[in-house]
Amino acid sequence: MNDQPAANPPRYGIDPYLDWVAKEGLNVAEDYGIDLFKVETKMWPRYGVKGAAVHLKGRGDFCNMFLIDVPPGGSTAPQKHLYEDVYYVLEGHGSTQLEFPDGSKRSFEWGPKALFAIPLNCKYRLHNGSGQTPARFVSINTIPIVYNLFRDSSFIFNNTHNFDRIAANAEPTDEVVYKPDANHTRTAVNLHETMFVRDIYETHRTAFVERGAGRTVYLELANSVISAHVAENPGLHVNNPHRHGPSAFVFTLQGQGYTI
């Protein structure tokens, strides 16, 4: 038996995703509830702009959030990765350029309250269209589970596989709307399949009796495993109690209230 210590002793109880965040040099904000406008960002070399990681307590290891700040007139470095990514625009105006595996490109313009998804493993950049004001996004993504599975940055960020999740001739603004059927087999309220929602405040919401007195709309984005819904409650009402799967993040868009 060799009693000499190993040159590279085994590491036990390490979360590879959190290890990666530390190596990226990101600021980390962690709490049960966080004001995304107040989180401090710092230069993130991978994106070429400032960023931060946002970890809600109880999130599990499926999804997380990044904050990305693009300065006036600036752009992110080109990105491509094996994790799903959905962006919500907190402030600013600009555009996103997508490059599909066949080399074709699409672009669309966004402003505050826009929601869009990046098709899996497609190359993209975010451009701030203003020369005077910054743009801030929150990215909801699946890098925790992907990184914990593969533990290899090069594989995740430099993979060339075409997942073919989106039709070759798809446009970001393409949309299919599914109405509820009598048995609610697929959806209980209107469900929009799309890649880009210009203003989520303007999406038409319908009554959702199972959830209470409010109105809701479902959003399936770029054939991603990340979906979203927008719900509104009238004053002095609550949602009926319900539960979510792992890493469900709730954003308060307007109004005041509390969560139990």
Side-chain angles (χ1 to χ4, degrees):
M1 178 180 294
N2 185 356
D3 292 330
Q4 297 299 316
N8 294 299
R11 305 174 73 208
Y12 179 75
I14 300 297
D15 183 315
Y17 159 70
L18 294 179
D19 221 16
W20 174 83
V21 168
K23 291 176 182 176
E24 293 285 299
L26 288 168
N27 284 350
V28 177
E30 184 172 13
D31 209 331
Y32 290 105
I34 293 174
D35 185 337
L36 295 175
F37 289 97
K38 295 181 178 179
V39 174
E40 183 179 351
T41 56
K42 64 186 291 189
M43 180 54 65
W44 189 1
R46 182 179 299 278
Y47 276 75
V49 295
K50 290 184 176 181
V54 179
H55 297 158
L56 294 183
K57 293 183 178 180
R59 66 182 170 84
D61 60 359
F62 182 65
C63 287
N64 85 324
M65 293 185 286
F66 294 136
L67 272 178
I68 296 176
D69 286 332
V70 182
S75 302
T76 61
Q79 299 298 314
K80 183 169 71 69
H81 41 68
L82 288 184
Y83 55 87
E84 309 274 14
D85 214 350
V86 174
Y87 282 91
Y88 179 64
V89 183
L90 294 168
E91 61 182 356
H93 293 81
S95 63
T96 297
Q97 183 180 68
L98 297 171
E99 182 177 333
F100 286 80
D102 64 359
S104 63
K105 296 180 179 180
R106 310 282 192 279
S107 63
F108 54 90
E109 296 183 354
W110 39 257
K113 299 176 283 190
L115 184 74
F116 58 89
I118 305 299
L120 185 60
N121 212 29
C122 282
K123 186 180 291 187
Y124 69 98
R125 295 187 77 181
L126 308 174
H127 305 284
N128 185 344
S130 170
Q132 297 181 328
T133 58
R136 172 167 281 204
F137 310 83
V138 59
S139 152
I140 303 92
N141 58 76
T142 59
I143 191 174
I145 191 170
V146 171
Y147 202 91
N148 286 342
L149 282 172
F150 297 111
R151 307 184 183 191
D152 189 318
S153 290
S154 180
F155 180 73
I156 293 170
F157 291 98
N158 300 310
N159 197 295
T160 60
H161 182 71
N162 177 12
F163 286 87
D164 202 22
R165 295 272 187 93
I166 301 294
N169 61 349
E171 294 293 338
T173 54
D174 289 347
E175 180 181 69
V176 178
V177 180
Y178 295 89
K179 301 286 185 178
D181 61 280
N183 296 321
H184 291 181
T185 302
R186 173 163 186 172
T187 178
V189 296
N190 287 356
L191 183 152
H192 297 244
E193 280 192 355
T194 186
M195 197 183 309
F196 171 59
V197 180
R198 188 173 303 280
D199 185 335
I200 62 172
Y201 283 64
E202 295 180 355
T203 52
H204 179 64
R205 298 175 285 280
T206 53
F208 193 179
V209 177
E210 291 89 337
R211 288 285 176 91
R215 301 187 302 160
T216 302
V217 62
Y218 286 160
L219 304 167
E220 297 288 345
L221 300 158
N223 201 9
S224 166
V225 299
I226 301 176
S227 61
H229 65 271
V230 181
E232 64 176 72
N233 284 336
L236 302 179
H237 284 74
V238 297
N239 271 336
N240 288 339
H242 62 280
R243 64 183 65 181
H244 298 109
S247 299
F249 300 144
V250 179
F251 295 84
T252 303
L253 302 177
Q254 66 181 31
Q256 296 179 332
Y258 60 91
T259 299
I260 299 177

